Amino acid sequence: MMKYIFVLIVLFVVDPFNGYSQELKLLASYEEHIYSPTTFYVLAEDTILTVELGNKEAVLNLLDLKNNKVINSQRAGMGPGELAQNGMKYITKISKDSIWVWDDGLRRGMLYDQELNYITDIKAEDHAINAALYVNDSTVIAKKPYENHSVVGLYPLDKLRIKSIPYYHIASYVYKSFNPFFRNPLLNQGPMLVGSKETVYIGFDFGSTVLSIDPNGSVDTLSTPYFFPFPKVTSNSGYMAPDHAKSPLTTLSLSGDAESIYLLFSGEKFDDSPFKNLGRVITGKIADAIEESENAKQVFIFDKKSRKVINSFNLPVQSKVIQVYKDFLYTLSYQQGKYVILKFDFIR
């Protein structure tokens, strides 16, 4: 049964740093066709794409929230328009009629129309590229597993084909916090954001550094209020992923509008103490504890021009992904053991 609930309650969320109040009015809560998404992307008001890696029949879902309708889906597979059930999906609306989706699992991209009908593939001449985001008709920002200290690179785009020779690379030794990338390529991961013909912003799961890269090659960082260096990971038995109990997840999600960047920030570690987890197993709450450890409430607002924090506030519910669209804030939130999409009237 559809749960698209309109609420008249206005929530005033207080910034822990300077007392700033962010007015959030909850407009709707939606859970139909929402299972356990890894991310979502807002294409238009109440029209979103969700990525459901566990749903073989609908890895990519185009949903009409208001009318409780699945507009279209793309299943798992290797065929035209089909996606892998592993790896991140990097989504950009590149025009009124076209959606760019790069599939980390398949190491290729797909172009869909506005109703998620497959149009054509996007391929890279360098097959090592595992993430590629559209910047403009001639440029993409792309990354691949560790090579020559490279974190990301700016590559030419020619008729939906990514050329193998980049304009330039951003090296891991440029910023001190990136040095661990050289020792462990599994650290080179995290959410990305790009606005069409705008600056690209790149955040990473286990560090608070956020890069900004414009199409002209100017590179800088956002002035994040916390500094969490990327963790050192021993590699005696091969490369290993960071331990969430030792190194906190920090940048969970990035979104943006014409003037601001919004960062969902955690900085929390997962409590893996034996007695704590024994209690969770006994009470059946271990799955909830793991999910909640990968969610957060704190959002920082950055001014694009100054790259500095201008405000921050707390969401009323633990969330995994945030998306700002016009005067609305959408969240992928975890409550009562399941994920829901929440829609807020975002009064700045």
Side-chain angles (χ1 to χ4, degrees), residues 18-301:
N18 55 27
Y20 167 82
S21 293
Q22 173 64 50
E23 190 175 343
L24 292 176
K25 182 169 69 174
L26 180 62
L27 299 178
S29 175
Y30 183 85
E31 63 183 60
E32 286 293 303
H33 313 295
I34 305 294
Y35 305 102
S36 184
T38 54
T39 191
F40 75 100
Y41 187 90
V42 180
L43 297 174
E45 184 180 352
D46 298 332
T47 303
I48 68 167
L49 276 173
T50 60
V51 177
E52 301 267 7
L53 297 181
N55 188 349
K56 184 177 180 180
E57 299 303 317
V59 176
L60 199 60
N61 270 317
L62 179 60
L63 304 178
D64 177 348
L65 299 185
K66 188 172 183 178
N67 297 304
N68 184 32
K69 177 183 176 183
V70 178
I71 299 172
N72 202 358
S73 299
Q74 290 290 345
R75 58 173 285 120
M78 299 289 290
E82 296 178 340
L83 302 107
Q85 287 187 269
N86 66 291
M88 295 182 69
K89 317 300 178 203
Y90 301 97
I91 301 169
T92 310
K93 186 176 181 180
I94 67 175
S95 71
K96 179 180 178 181
D97 303 319
S98 302
I99 304 166
W100 167 295
V101 179
W102 184 270
D103 189 333
D104 183 355
L106 295 178
R107 296 202 176 185
R108 75 165 188 257
M110 276 75 75
L111 196 68
Y112 303 96
D113 68 15
Q114 60 183 339
E115 293 189 346
L116 203 61
N117 296 305
Y118 169 75
I119 299 174
T120 188
D121 275 359
I122 305 156
K123 294 183 179 178
E125 293 178 353
D126 186 343
H127 299 296
I129 288 176
N130 67 337
L133 281 165
Y134 177 90
V135 178
N136 55 46
D137 289 343
S138 61
T139 309
V140 298
I141 189 88
K143 66 176 185 172
K144 50 188 176 180
Y146 164 72
E147 182 184 39
N148 297 328
H149 289 272
S150 176
V151 179
V152 295
L154 205 65
Y155 287 80
L157 178 66
D158 182 21
K159 297 178 181 178
L160 297 179
R161 295 297 179 265
I162 301 169
K163 297 297 183 178
S164 58
I165 306 299
Y167 296 129
Y168 69 89
H169 283 295
I170 297 173
S172 60
Y173 51 75
V174 173
Y175 297 100
K176 183 178 179 181
S177 64
F178 289 162
N179 287 339
F181 286 164
F182 174 70
R183 294 185 292 271
N184 193 328
L186 291 182
L187 290 173
N188 193 355
Q189 57 182 300
M192 289 187 178
L193 162 74
V194 65
S196 179
K197 300 180 181 179
E198 293 181 5
T199 299
V200 178
Y201 296 87
I202 306 176
F204 301 89
D205 291 343
F206 291 95
S208 54
T209 301
V210 179
L211 284 175
S212 66
I213 309 164
D214 72 21
N216 298 319
S218 177
V219 182
D220 209 330
T221 60
L222 297 184
S223 299
T224 51
Y226 295 106
F227 175 69
F228 280 94
F230 293 96
K232 295 179 180 179
V233 182
T234 57
S235 55
N236 296 332
S237 302
Y239 288 113
M240 298 172 61
D243 185 347
H244 183 16
K246 296 179 180 178
S247 302
L249 292 173
T250 54
T251 303
L252 299 186
S253 181
L254 291 168
S255 186
D257 56 24
E259 298 178 352
S260 304
I261 293 297
Y262 305 87
L263 185 155
L264 179 61
F265 180 85
S266 175
E268 297 292 329
K269 300 178 183 179
F270 177 62
D271 185 352
D272 66 343
S273 61
F275 291 109
K276 189 80 170 181
N277 282 325
L278 178 60
R280 290 167 175 162
V281 171
I282 292 173
T283 59
K285 295 182 178 180
I286 185 68
D288 283 350
I290 294 172
E291 289 293 339
E292 288 173 1
S293 75
E294 298 180 356
N295 288 259
K297 292 184 177 181
Q298 191 171 27
V299 177
F300 290 107
I301 305 176

